[in-house]
Amino acid sequence: MGAGPAGVYAADILTKSDVDVRIDLFEKLPAPYGLVRYGVAPDHPRIKGIVGALQKVLDKPSVRFFGNVEYGVDIKLDDLRSLYDAVIFSTGASCDRPLDIPGIDLPGSYGAADFVSWYDGHPDVPRTWPLTATSVAVLGVGNVALDVARILAKTADELLVTEIPANVHEGLASSPVTDVHVFGRRGPAQAKFTPLELRELDHSPSVEVIVHAEGIEFDEASLAAIRSDKQVSMIVKTLQEWAIRDVGTRPRRLHLHFLEAPVEVLGSDRVVGLRTETQELTGDGNVRGTGVFTDWDVQAVY
């Protein structure tokens, strides 16, 4: 159940085993490939190229694909048990984990999964997206956060060389955004994005990447991670170099803030700001609040 990368890879492993096996892949959506199709940003053709490898698995004579089949509605566990020797569930996590802070449910506050589904043309989401904010906050410092921030900050025409859906280009073209602020609760050595994803932020001719130096701090655990992990070292080196360079004149700005934890989304009828608390490292890579709060003038939070 589920024909995303996990389901297809499971099928591939089974076809390479010593067992004479036949595999049926059932998928709720009309097409396979899950997150590769509907979770990877359109300006990442290298990652979307994984589809080629997945297609080779589906081409095997012992593997069949059935789309538009929803588990629990069109087919149930008793049906599967009566027809198959084994069942694998590879349905993934389709929803965002809620962030428990005041104001998070205000209009103008969005889960990343919904926005990613929109710009990737997922068939179950609306064709339009309310892009009305000039200043936006993105909470988190993983690869998805960077994808969201990059798509928000880039001009729509920069994405025309990708497989961006026409309705997404139209929506992004009308966006008035000038500043995207990315907030990480911990320090740069604890960031969860990859070096390649980070460096890609700086490739756009229309986006100035600004690292706010006050969050570039390290404790004993951070220094140990830098020494022992090449990926962490590369990320920290890039962030340090960006933090000390002069700010350029590109028309849009993407800000990276570390050691700032979101504590409240501000507003009564809709988002009008974000309040964060400055954090300090505790020596083991974790953080604690300092009691210093900052209100950021943003009109949307992701």
Side-chain angles (χ1 to χ4, degrees):
M1 303 307 300
V8 178
Y9 288 143
D12 187 36
I13 292 169
L14 288 168
T15 60
K16 294 175 180 176
S17 68
D18 295 331
V19 180
D20 182 16
V21 63
R22 290 177 296 160
I23 301 157
D24 290 341
L25 281 162
F26 292 95
E27 170 61 48
K28 177 183 176 181
L29 297 172
Y33 311 137
L35 280 177
V36 176
R37 185 183 293 272
Y38 297 116
V40 175
D43 57 346
H44 274 166
R46 177 184 58 85
I47 300 176
K48 284 188 176 291
I50 295 170
V51 165
L54 301 179
Q55 178 64 52
K56 291 180 181 178
V57 179
L58 295 189
D59 283 342
K60 293 182 178 183
S62 57
V63 178
R64 298 189 299 179
F65 169 77
F66 297 91
N68 273 325
V69 180
E70 184 175 358
Y71 175 74
V73 176
D74 302 309
I75 194 167
K76 299 182 180 180
L77 186 57
D78 287 343
D79 303 320
L80 296 170
R81 283 176 166 161
S82 69
L83 295 167
Y84 296 96
D85 299 303
V87 181
I88 295 175
F89 286 91
S90 56
T91 52
S94 60
C95 300
D96 288 301
R97 187 174 65 180
L99 181 62
D100 187 19
I101 61 174
I104 197 66
D105 294 325
L106 282 169
S109 175
Y110 311 103
D114 290 337
F115 183 60
V116 171
S117 294
W118 174 74
Y119 69 58
D120 272 332
H122 194 292
D124 290 345
V125 302
R127 300 295 89 191
T128 59
W129 190 270
L131 293 164
T132 58
T134 57
S135 187
V136 178
V138 178
L139 309 182
V141 283
N143 283 342
V144 173
L146 293 193
D147 282 351
V148 168
R150 195 180 62 255
I151 294 296
L152 286 167
K154 274 185 171 182
T155 62
D157 286 353
E158 289 179 71
L159 299 169
L160 283 174
V161 296
T162 73
E163 295 180 351
I164 184 174
N167 66 294
V168 176
H169 175 265
E170 181 181 355
L172 292 172
S174 66
S175 171
V177 69
T178 59
D179 291 86
V180 177
H181 296 267
V182 180
F183 294 95
R185 184 175 61 87
R186 296 192 292 169
Q190 289 80 41
K192 296 303 181 183
F193 40 67
T194 55
L196 180 60
E197 289 269 352
L198 177 62
R199 289 194 296 268
E200 283 181 346
L201 288 183
D202 209 34
H203 292 171
S204 169
S206 60
V207 180
E208 199 71 45
V209 180
I210 302 169
V211 176
H212 291 255
E214 57 271 21
I216 306 298
E217 296 185 8
F218 309 97
D219 59 2
E220 292 85 350
S222 303
L223 295 174
I226 293 169
R227 288 191 296 265
S228 62
D229 190 313
K230 184 178 180 181
Q231 179 165 292
V232 173
S233 176
M234 293 169 64
I235 290 170
V236 168
K237 182 175 184 292
T238 299
L239 292 170
Q240 287 178 314
E241 290 173 351
W242 290 356
I244 61 174
R245 68 183 179 181
D246 293 333
V247 176
T249 58
R250 297 173 189 176
R252 296 182 176 185
R253 293 164 293 277
L254 197 161
H255 307 260
L256 295 175
H257 306 270
F258 295 93
L259 295 175
E260 291 288 346
V263 294
E264 184 178 0
V265 178
L266 305 175
S268 54
D269 299 324
R270 65 168 296 103
V271 173
V272 298
L274 174 73
R275 179 168 295 156
T276 63
E277 182 183 10
T278 302
Q279 307 291 296
E280 61 183 7
L281 292 161
T282 57
D284 57 358
N286 291 311
V287 292
R288 58 174 169 247
T290 63
V292 176
F293 297 90
T294 304
D295 288 355
W296 306 87
D297 182 17
V298 298
Q299 302 86 50
V301 175
Y302 290 79

